[in-house]
Each structure stands twice: as structure tokens, then as C-alpha cells.
Amino acid sequence: AGIKVLLTETRSWQQFEVLEAGSTEQAIHILSGDQVMVVILECGLPGLGGIKATSIIRGRWPQTCVIGLSHGEDSIVIERMMSAGARGIILKNIEADMLAFAIRTVLAGELFYCNEIAVKLLDRMKGHGSSGAERLTLREKQILRSIMEGFAGREIARKLGIAKRTVDKHLQHINYKLGTRSPLELVQAGLRLGLIKGLVNKDSLS
């Protein structure tokens, strides 16, 4: 209810209808009958749960952006929300201007984390001793290299013989694993990791 009040009082979103659901099943039912741009989904919402609901929503309505609403859950829950297809994670005490910024960010095709969430994820990554590159699959590394060479999503899809939607899904995973939010940050991360050196043979990728 608090999020709905923030949205209805924020000038940027007054021209849009704000719908509300009390369970994951009700949210999915609403999506079936309306063209929804963004879903702000509580991680612990009753019913199927935020992780499963996110996966269903992204599978049925890939054009709909999901933002997870966290009460400060464990970083594992947050990671699973992102892996299921959430484009961002916000905290329940988020302020109106930051909420508007989060929505604009995910609608622009980028990822958004509140600062507190980003710190949790970075701490967990450091605890695993991962450099980022170690967490990328061969396919993800090749897509990142293609981006660094200036190829767009549709060009990458044609080059690799896969669907544009599949490329977008890989990009979401790459952004999540490297903690990047824009194409520029992706390129910078790739340069730091030395991924511009030598391309992986396409035939060796699954």
C-alpha cells in the first residue's frame, strides 16, 4: 500500500494506472488481462512466492519488467530473484524519487539495486572469492566480447544463431554476475577482465 501511495503521488506516474495484488496468483491474474509495464513484486509475497512468480511472469510476459521488493532478505533470496528474471531489487523503505529512478532504469533495459542490496551482493561475491569472470559461462563470455566489439543484441543473435530473447537473458545474467548496469560498464568490466583477447570458437559452445 505504501508503494502504491508513492506511485500515485509521484507526478511522473500519475498518468498511469497503478494496480495492486495481495498474492502472487492475483498478480498473475491481473497481468493476464492488462498490459503492465512494471511489476513491483514483494520477495516474500504469499502464494507461489516471489522467486517462482518472477520466473512465471518473465516467461509469459517478457516485455514486463519485474522489480523485487525486499524487507532485507538474505542475499541468497535476492540472488534467486535476479536469476529468475527480476530487473532490480529495492527496499520497502525506498523514497519516492529513488523509486521513480528505479522504474526508469529497468524500463531503459538496465539493472537497479538499492545501495544496501548492492553491498550485500558484493559481500557475498567476495566471500565466494569470485572475480566475476570465473562465474561467466563460455556463451556469456562470447556475448560480452561481441558487445565489446560493438555488436548490438540482434546482430549477436544472428551471429550466434540464437534468438534475440536468449541474448537478452544472457545479458541479464552477465550484468548480474559482474554488477554492471549499462553497456559502458559492461565494456569496462570486460576490459578489466581481459576478455577482449581471443574469441571462443562458436562450435565449442553449447
Side-chain angles (χ1 to χ4, degrees):
I3 293 293
K4 185 174 181 180
V5 169
L6 287 180
L7 288 171
T8 53
E9 290 182 350
T10 302
R11 184 174 302 173
S12 301
W13 311 109
Q14 284 180 352
Q15 67 270 36
F16 297 101
E17 184 180 6
V18 180
L19 306 174
E20 185 178 3
S23 67
T24 49
E25 289 85 353
Q26 187 180 359
I28 291 170
H29 177 73
I30 290 174
L31 284 169
S32 299
D34 290 275
Q35 185 177 359
V36 178
M37 299 168 62
V38 177
V39 174
I40 300 175
L41 188 63
E42 188 172 348
C43 297
L45 195 67
L48 294 172
I51 297 169
K52 179 65 175 178
T54 298
S55 180
I56 292 173
I57 291 169
R58 292 293 295 154
R60 295 183 186 176
W61 302 281
Q63 76 285 354
T64 299
C65 299
V66 176
I67 298 176
L69 179 63
S70 173
H71 294 273
E73 280 86 356
D74 186 273
S75 56
I76 296 176
V77 175
I78 296 169
E79 282 190 359
R80 289 176 178 171
M81 280 289 290
M82 299 302 292
S83 295
R87 300 296 301 168
I89 302 289
I90 60 175
L91 291 176
K92 196 168 185 180
N93 62 354
I94 192 170
E95 296 181 357
D97 57 345
M98 187 58 66
L99 176 60
F101 180 71
I103 293 173
R104 292 192 186 96
T105 298
V106 299
L107 286 176
E110 301 178 6
L111 300 177
F112 179 88
Y113 307 92
C114 283
N115 289 338
E116 297 90 335
I117 298 297
V119 169
K120 274 192 175 185
L121 294 176
L122 286 173
D123 285 345
R124 177 170 169 78
M125 188 179 294
K126 289 176 183 177
H128 286 170
S130 172
S131 67
E134 298 171 2
R135 304 181 67 193
L136 297 181
T137 65
L138 290 177
R139 178 68 88 190
E140 289 166 352
K141 289 178 181 178
Q142 189 176 37
I143 289 174
L144 178 53
R145 288 189 184 101
S146 296
I147 292 172
M148 295 172 71
E149 292 177 333
F151 289 98
R154 294 189 184 280
E155 295 172 323
I156 296 172
R158 285 196 297 269
K159 185 170 70 166
L160 299 182
I162 58 179
K164 169 65 164 52
R165 178 179 173 183
T166 303
V167 173
D168 292 340
K169 187 70 174 178
H170 281 304
L171 281 174
Q172 178 181 329
H173 291 162
I174 294 168
N175 277 312
Y176 168 65
K177 291 177 181 180
L178 298 182
T180 51
R181 299 186 183 183
S182 69
L184 176 59
E185 290 184 3
L186 267 178
V187 171
Q188 291 172 337
L191 289 172
R192 287 195 302 271
L193 298 172
L195 293 181
I196 198 64
K197 300 175 183 178
L199 291 176
V200 177
N201 189 320
K202 175 183 174 182
D203 295 332
S204 69
L205 300 179
S206 57

